[in-house]
Amino acid sequence: MTREEIKNANFTPDQRDEIQQGLDKGIDVSVYAREDMLAIQMRQVRLGLLSGVAVSRYNDPAFDWFQMEEIRLGLENHLDVDKYANPDIPYMKMRQIRKGLTMGIDLSDQLDKDSDVLRQIRKALISGVDISKYVNEGYNAGQLEEIRIGISKGLDLDDYISIELRGSAIKEICMGLEDGLDVSIYADEEYSWRQMREIRLGLENQLDVGYYTNAWYDWRQMHEIRLGLLMGLDVDNYATLAYTYLEMKHRREYLESAILSGAGGEGGGTVGDINIAIVDFGMKAIMTCPKGTKYTKAAIDNAMQNANINYGINKTNIRRVVGTMSEGQEVIVAEGTKPVEGKDGYYEFFFETNPSREPKELDDGFLDFVNVDWYETVEKDQKLAVYHPATKGQDGEGVTGVKLPGRNGTEQKVLIGKGFTKSEDGNEYFAAVPGIIEYDEKRATMNISESLEVDEVSNVTGAIDFEGNVHVKKGVGVGSRIKAGGDVMVDGFVEACFIEAGGDIILKNGANGKGGQSHIKAGGEIMARFFENMTIEADVGIQANYCLHCDIYTKGLLDLSNRKGLLLGGMAMVEEKVNANNVGNKLGTPTTVVLGMNDKIREAGKTIQTDIKGVRGELKILENAKNQFQEVFSPEERNTMEVYLKIENAIYTKELQLDGLKEKRQEYVDRIKELMAAKINIRNHLYEGVKFDINGKIWRSEKNYNVTLTGNASNIMVTKN
């Protein structure tokens, strides 16, 4: 089809554009240049032709553009699209079948189920979780999702869930089980998921939830009672069905204010010459009268009665002055009893909760990575902690008889995590497995990660792939492989090998990758005595005495700041900060430092922008198609047309997708702003000839000493420290 033929045909501008793009790429546009195919459908055929797939499998207007896309993607991934290439199968079901086939899972025999259920089946099969029982019993997708996640965490749900519970309710049960709570208290159909949440949060904070487990309370009433218990208030003052949640709130706030102010009332009174003042927030009554006035018992009693003093009367002081002449002095005639706060609950730990993990600098200037308390390890059945519950407060009373509530102590959150068990009363914690223990006070979490200990790793011992932590007591030889879900620690020397960890990597005696392929990658930090001839990647940061001829990448900090710290040779790509003692050498060994923006980040930005452009293009085509339908057909007609309704749904979907991409772009922009503050601190020597790329600006260093480097795309600033 020539450009002239395109011009003379009855195509819309969007259809012409799709055909023109095909001609520009040299593909056979006659395959899709047809007036009965929407431009957005043409696009899917064009993309298929460009990727060299058999577009005949979906080059039919009976398929909507989403269905076409699913078939095209399947063909591009060499899948058996016959499993789902049928116009009668909705594209969302197609998508689940396609994604399943990509992982070797065939869901095409379960097309009687809706797409969301298929999605849960697919995810369950991928993670090795069997939810077929619940699928067969008719649980919906929302319920299945929570069941799948719960089972994948090793939770035993059958005693607590039923098909009558919403997915959000099942989630509350799973969260309670995961935290080791007694969910039988609230795993009941009579509770809504919000009520369940209030009870779960109460159990988490070790509150007496018996005050509000009555299902007749709505969740907001439960909330007010829980907040009162959390504050240590006497909730008996308002925990009754007779009060609405707003009335409960007002009473709770009044009790809180009484505790916070300690107010028992001020005031007093005067009878004749005798004046009684109530001070100290109602806790003390002081009598005064003019000098030379005679005190009488009747006058004092009348003044006390007038001031409404009826508690804590100091009869000794009163007897002492009766019948005497006043010297104008102050006489304490009554004192109240101050409320006593209960003690807060607390944990007593039997392990080091915060090991230093900080290597110390030795006399020779090197950091000592050997003699460091990197982790705290525990043995099976070892006692880890004892919880000491909060104590009750004692009420006080002012001199006028006003009751002053004593705040109960606050309970601490229940420790959650994995790898431990609890005593029957829930107050003692014991290690269920041997391993490395970590405690996070802010999150109230305690986790024991099982550890694999081996003497050494080599080609003879074979590769290691372990979900927990790996501890190698000796060395790691050439060609070895270690992959761990947790941390990796190596006591001995590391040669050319591959080590990957979801957490941190600690190499006590350093690594030299000469003579083989060497790659060390961590989701956390990497710390070593030294690195030579290695490729090192760490999401959080890297610390060592020195790095020689290494390719380095980290999103955080590269720390070589000790007295012997040196960065020499290779390329260091660091997003946030470099602290180094020396960079480069007198010989001018090629050394490159890329700080802040780098090619990885730029490519990520380009991908986001390309995706936004693509979605906007598709949205424009869909909106144009919608406008064409609106011009030709009345609302009554087009609202019964399947293709028009699909266009409307597609516009909604694409708008959501565009919003998500815009948020992603904003996160990218925010990150770029952070990177503009990237800097390198050099405490000692910066040698001549080091190549710096700081946020896009290239600079070859001159000899300098004790400087900080910052920069942007137009300038690099060198500041003396």
Side-chain angles (χ1 to χ4, degrees), residues 572-591:
M573 187 182 292
V574 181
E575 292 187 11
E576 293 184 2
K577 189 177 182 181
V578 177
N579 287 336
N581 197 45
N582 299 290
V583 179
N585 65 1
K586 292 179 181 179
L587 300 176
T589 299
T591 305

Side-chain angles (χ1 to χ4, degrees), residues 475-683:
V476 180
V478 175
S480 301
R481 293 181 64 85
I482 300 174
K483 188 173 182 181
D487 301 331
V488 173
M489 179 184 289
V490 182
D491 293 348
F493 187 69
V494 174
E495 298 181 86
C497 64
F498 173 83
I499 302 176
E500 181 177 359
D504 300 334
I505 295 176
I506 299 160
L507 312 179
K508 292 185 177 181
N509 279 294
N512 190 328
K514 196 169 183 178
Q517 192 171 14
S518 307
H519 195 161
I520 297 177
K521 183 177 181 181
E525 294 182 85
I526 297 178
M527 292 167 274
R529 188 165 175 237
F530 65 85
F531 292 107
E532 296 181 14
N533 307 296
M534 306 290 293
T535 297
I536 317 161
E537 289 184 65
D539 281 354
V540 176
I542 297 169
Q543 183 180 17
N545 283 303
Y546 62 83
C547 291
L548 301 181
H549 306 292
C550 293
D551 287 331
I552 300 166
Y553 173 75
T554 180
K555 296 176 183 177
L557 167 69
L558 172 61
D559 189 358
L560 307 168
S561 59
N562 59 292
R563 278 187 291 147
K564 296 292 184 178
L566 172 64
L567 177 62
L568 176 65
M571 182 178 74
M573 187 182 292
V574 181
E575 292 187 11
E576 293 184 2
K577 189 177 182 181
V578 177
N579 287 336
N581 197 45
N582 299 290
V583 179
N585 65 1
K586 292 179 181 179
L587 300 176
T589 299
T591 305
T592 301
V593 179
V594 180
L595 189 65
M597 281 289 290
N598 57 57
D599 288 341
K600 285 186 178 183
I601 299 172
R602 292 187 185 94
E603 284 304 313
K606 287 179 183 177
T607 299
I608 293 170
Q609 201 55 40
T610 300
D611 290 345
I612 288 175
K613 184 179 179 181
V615 172
R616 278 179 171 160
E618 293 175 351
L619 195 53
K620 181 182 177 183
I621 292 172
L622 289 165
E623 287 172 341
N624 288 342
K626 179 182 176 181
N627 292 335
Q628 291 163 17
F629 273 88
Q630 289 176 339
E631 289 172 4
V632 176
F633 302 101
S634 68
E636 294 78 15
E637 289 176 302
R638 61 178 182 261
N639 287 338
T640 61
M641 300 171 69
E642 185 178 359
V643 66
Y644 178 77
L645 296 176
K646 284 185 175 181
I647 289 171
E648 282 195 324
N649 289 334
I651 289 173
Y652 174 73
T653 301
K654 289 296 175 184
E655 285 175 342
L656 289 179
Q657 188 178 353
L658 185 59
D659 288 343
L661 287 168
K662 286 179 178 177
E663 287 181 13
K664 198 173 180 181
R665 181 176 62 186
Q666 186 57 52
E667 291 172 1
Y668 175 80
V669 170
D670 292 342
R671 179 59 176 165
I672 298 304
K673 290 178 181 177
E674 291 175 355
L675 297 183
M676 291 300 107
K679 62 183 178 180
I680 175 169
N681 296 318
I682 302 170
R683 196 168 73 178

Side-chain angles (χ1 to χ4, degrees), residues 375-378 434-438 447-451 469 487:
Y375 301 108
E376 182 78 3
T377 59
V378 294
I436 292 172
I437 187 166
E438 294 179 296
N447 291 289
I448 301 175
S449 303
E450 290 193 77
S451 298
N469 305 299
D487 301 331

Side-chain angles (χ1 to χ4, degrees), residues 156-162 165 173 177 181-185 187-188 196:
D156 188 358
L157 305 177
D158 284 347
D159 289 340
Y160 306 107
I161 66 170
S162 68
L165 294 173
I173 292 170
L177 286 170
L181 306 178
D182 182 6
V183 300
S184 64
I185 293 172
D188 196 306
M196 288 185 176

Side-chain angles (χ1 to χ4, degrees), residues 29 41 44 77 145 168 183 202 311 450 490 538 545 547 569 636 714:
V29 298
Q41 292 172 305
Q44 290 303 323
N77 285 280
E145 180 173 25
S168 50
V183 300
Y311 179 81
E450 290 193 77
V490 182
N545 283 303
C547 291
E636 294 78 15
S714 59

Side-chain angles (χ1 to χ4, degrees), residues 34-48:
R34 42 193 293 184
E35 294 177 16
D36 63 344
M37 190 174 284
L38 296 171
I40 195 101
Q41 292 172 305
M42 287 183 172
R43 171 169 291 196
Q44 290 303 323
V45 180
R46 176 173 63 80
L47 292 174

Side-chain angles (χ1 to χ4, degrees), residues 308-324:
N308 197 31
I309 296 171
N310 54 45
Y311 179 81
I313 297 172
N314 192 324
K315 295 178 181 179
T316 302
N317 284 356
I318 293 172
R319 281 197 299 267
R320 185 179 297 124
V321 298
V322 169
T324 67

